[in-house]
Amino acid sequence: MDYQGRRIDTGEPVEIEVQDGVITAIHKLTEDPGHLPWVSSGWIDLQVNGLAGYDLNSERVTSADIEGVTRALHARGVAAYLPTVITGSDDRIKQGLRALADYCNSGAYGASSIIGLHLEGPYLSSEDGCRGAHDRAYTRNPDWEEFQRFQEAADGRIIMVTLAPERPGSLPFIEKLAEAGVVVAIGHTMATGEQLDAAIRAGATLSTHLGNGSQPHLPRHPNYIWDQLADDRLWATFIPDGHHLAPHVLKAMQRIKREKTILVSDCVKFGGMPPGRYHSLIGSHVELEANGRLSMVEHPAILAGSASTLDMGIAGAVAYTDMSLAEAIEAVTIRPAQVLGRPLLGMLETGAQASFTPFTWEEASASIRVVDTITDGMSRFGPR
């Protein structure tokens, strides 16, 4: 099967040849049809908690939840993602991980889009603000034996862990994760500069949703946001929904991190749902406003995850920062693939998996329309 589009990285009109789920050739078209959509390698989201009413952090995650999230992501241009299991009881975390592993092993629809699992917690700060909407009762110190049980439930699919490096036992835990090939991310933390430096030297490489999961009031300087921003050893993910970071803050942070900026959605199940008040395992009672802001009812200053998807985030990054459309796309393709140690995953090249996203861009409104999402060489929802 062949596909045509205009490469977002070069602007060239091309035809992509696919066989058995692999890109076998990419030819530059001799004539420009003039109506082609943009095309990039498939978008990658490193942090997805749920979407469209489907929850990956419910008390009992089902295959219907996982397939619902995956289909909804495909409709938004996301070809590959990390389901994110958050802080909770030992039983709930293991059940969620086991359900995700079983789904992947079943070969069900879109299973190949799940390229690994992200464990966000439970080894996070217990402090208000820093822990965000994570349940304080279940935040705890790193425990390698417990993590091994989590990894067993996940069938070895946990490839990223977000933790707070100031918790006792974190440094040897980070070293073991890094030795095992797991990406170590810093998040929901109030670590000192010395603790952050020690974590990076132990193997941490990424900041999770930098600028969020923090106390509402911080010293001007130093503080753990400045320290992570200034450290060139760290990549950083940002949620460009206009709520997690004010647009001017996102612009300043992106200018600092430059080519180490990665965009994520951090979407929860309320993405795509109508405004209103809901009950959620994340944050208990939450309110989704008409503008997309999702917060805890009891603590309106604390966000309860994102209700935006990655296509909206790409558009937001272009609108709010100095990023060009091509760079914003790089921040959801090449860069996350590099962080995961799978660079070919983020490339539109011969020999790569046939995973790509055709889309259109409306300059005047700074908006994206996803035309299709291709994974394993197959259209996942077709032209709309």
Side-chain angles (χ1 to χ4, degrees):
M1 187 174 292
D2 299 338
Y3 301 86
Q4 292 186 345
R6 188 179 303 278
R7 294 188 65 128
I8 189 64
D9 52 352
T10 66
E12 295 178 342
V14 297
E15 183 170 81
I16 304 166
E17 294 183 7
V18 173
Q19 186 173 354
D20 298 328
V22 175
I23 297 174
T24 54
I26 301 177
H27 302 290
K28 183 178 179 180
L29 296 177
T30 55
E31 295 185 10
D32 187 346
H35 60 275
L36 296 176
W38 292 109
V39 64
S40 70
S41 58
W43 300 347
I44 303 167
D45 195 338
L46 297 182
Q47 192 166 10
V48 177
N49 308 279
L51 183 58
Y54 299 101
D55 195 354
L56 302 179
N57 283 284
S58 63
E59 289 291 351
R60 185 148 297 274
V61 178
T62 67
S63 60
D65 292 321
I66 302 165
E67 184 153 324
V69 169
T70 306
R71 288 185 181 275
L73 288 171
H74 285 164
R76 295 290 192 163
V78 176
Y81 73 108
L82 299 187
T84 300
V85 177
I86 72 158
T87 302
S89 69
D90 181 85
D91 288 342
R92 186 188 67 72
I93 290 176
K94 286 194 293 188
Q95 191 280 323
L97 294 170
R98 190 175 297 113
L100 286 159
D102 288 346
Y103 182 84
C104 292
N105 292 333
S106 73
Y109 168 90
S112 64
S113 289
I114 299 174
I115 53 175
L117 307 181
H118 177 184
L119 184 63
E120 186 186 6
Y123 315 123
L124 307 178
S125 173
S126 300
E127 297 299 318
D128 289 347
C130 293
R131 64 184 174 86
H134 290 251
D135 192 333
R136 184 205 302 272
Y138 294 114
T139 56
R140 48 198 188 262
N141 295 334
D143 182 323
W144 184 248
E145 291 184 2
E146 178 184 60
F147 175 75
Q148 291 296 95
R149 293 193 293 271
F150 291 156
Q151 190 67 290
E152 181 180 2
D155 196 24
R157 293 179 180 271
I158 300 172
I159 64 172
M160 181 180 292
V161 173
T162 294
L163 52 75
E166 70 272 20
R167 295 206 74 115
S170 289
L171 293 184
F173 187 76
I174 291 170
E175 290 173 350
K176 289 179 180 178
L177 288 175
E179 289 171 2
V182 176
V183 176
V184 181
I186 296 167
H188 292 280
T189 180
M190 55 184 301
T192 64
E194 291 76 13
Q195 289 167 330
L196 290 167
D197 177 69
I200 296 166
R201 287 188 283 107
T205 58
L206 178 70
S207 296
T208 289
H209 51 51
L210 187 55
N212 298 117
S214 64
Q215 297 149 295
H217 300 286
L218 287 171
R220 286 179 302 164
H221 45 75
N223 64 57
Y224 44 79
I225 295 177
W226 282 116
D227 288 338
Q228 291 175 81
L229 274 173
D231 200 308
D232 295 334
R233 295 171 292 178
L234 287 174
W235 295 76
T237 67
F238 296 106
I239 306 169
D241 62 356
H243 305 296
H244 279 76
L245 296 171
H248 63 279
V249 174
L250 176 63
K251 183 175 184 177
M253 288 186 169
Q254 181 271 326
R255 283 180 171 179
I256 294 170
K257 280 301 179 184
R258 295 169 296 180
E259 69 277 2
K260 288 200 168 182
T261 294
I262 295 172
L263 306 179
V264 297
S265 72
D266 195 22
C267 193
V268 300
K269 71 175 184 178
F270 304 112
M273 295 177 66
R277 290 193 171 186
Y278 298 93
H279 182 267
S280 170
L281 194 66
I282 305 174
S284 186
H285 297 286
V286 301
E287 182 168 8
L288 176 60
E289 300 176 27
N291 64 3
R293 187 179 190 275
L294 181 68
S295 60
M296 299 170 64
V297 171
E298 293 183 2
H299 305 284
I302 303 296
L303 297 175
S306 162
S308 296
T309 46
L310 202 57
D311 56 326
M312 299 166 69
I314 294 166
V318 176
Y320 302 147
T321 76
D322 297 325
M323 298 179 85
S324 65
L325 178 61
E327 186 180 1
I329 295 297
E330 182 178 310
V332 301
T333 54
I334 294 172
R335 296 176 189 176
Q338 288 176 335
V339 164
L340 296 179
R342 297 178 59 184
L344 196 60
L345 181 67
M347 296 181 183
L348 191 65
E349 301 292 347
T350 300
Q353 182 182 0
S355 169
F356 46 94
T357 304
F359 63 98
T360 62
W361 170 252
E362 178 57 50
E363 186 76 36
S365 59
S367 61
I368 282 178
R369 181 179 71 86
V370 175
V371 174
D372 201 351
T373 302
I374 311 297
T375 69
D376 299 321
M378 296 182 289
S379 168
R380 290 306 182 181
F381 70 94
R384 295 190 290 176

